[in-house]
Amino acid sequence: MARGLEKHLERQRQLSLFGKDLTRRSGACCELCSASGVKLEVYEVPPTAAEPVFEECLFICEECKEALARPKSASPDRWRNLIETVWSEVPAVQVMAVRILDSLSKEHPWAAEILDQVYLDEEIEEWVKKQALL
């Protein structure tokens, strides 16, 4: 088996170990759009560390994962619920919500308005700045 594939599979195995705790933390709902009753997957908030870190992971639905993978083709309206998500007590959720809103704010005034209302701890602000969404 190729070395890169082995590393990838091992990382996926490690991430899958977070499943129970992420389910508990998220209440079995997507941590970005709050969808329930759908398949959820572990998503690592970039930039990723050498080893998976629970606090840097989200539990998200397939639609959110697809929208993050292809932000230009995703409907901006799917992110309107971020007005609530951005206030999450989970830092990783706040980071992704702010990154998404920041990328949308250039073309959508409603996203800029949400960002204007947000207050972040310095640590979370630094994390947001480490890597832009687009």
Side-chain angles (χ1 to χ4, degrees):
M1 195 178 311
R3 193 163 173 73
L5 179 59
E6 286 177 15
K7 279 184 172 181
H8 173 73
L9 292 175
E10 176 58 23
R11 187 172 194 91
Q12 293 305 108
R13 187 193 67 73
Q14 290 174 346
L15 288 170
S16 71
L17 297 175
F18 297 153
K20 239 182 223 181
D21 292 327
L22 285 169
T23 300
R24 222 174 278 125
R25 181 180 83 188
S26 69
C29 296
C30 176
E31 291 186 289
L32 290 178
C33 73
S34 302
S36 63
V38 296
K39 181 181 177 212
L40 300 172
E41 300 178 34
V42 178
Y43 177 84
E44 290 184 277
V45 177
T48 56
E51 295 294 320
V53 178
F54 175 78
E55 291 79 14
E56 296 176 5
C57 292
L58 303 177
F59 222 24
I60 63 172
C61 67
E62 291 178 6
E63 285 187 37
C64 283
K65 186 174 182 178
E66 182 67 24
L68 290 172
R70 293 177 183 76
K72 296 209 186 269
S73 63
S75 168
D77 288 332
R78 86 161 279 99
W79 299 121
R80 285 192 179 263
N81 67 307
L82 292 179
I83 192 167
E84 295 169 12
T85 307
V86 77
W87 297 107
S88 171
E89 293 180 14
V90 179
V93 174
Q94 282 188 311
V95 167
M96 284 308 298
V98 169
R99 286 179 181 172
I100 294 164
L101 289 168
D102 186 54
S103 70
L104 292 171
S105 68
K106 296 159 185 72
E107 296 179 25
H108 304 282
W110 60 265
E113 288 173 20
I114 295 171
L115 280 177
D116 287 343
Q117 300 171 20
V118 174
Y119 169 79
L120 300 173
D121 292 337
E122 283 183 38
E123 185 178 296
I124 294 173
E125 263 189 58
E126 288 302 313
W127 189 6
V128 167
K129 293 176 187 175
K130 281 183 184 176
Q131 185 167 336
L133 188 60
L134 294 176

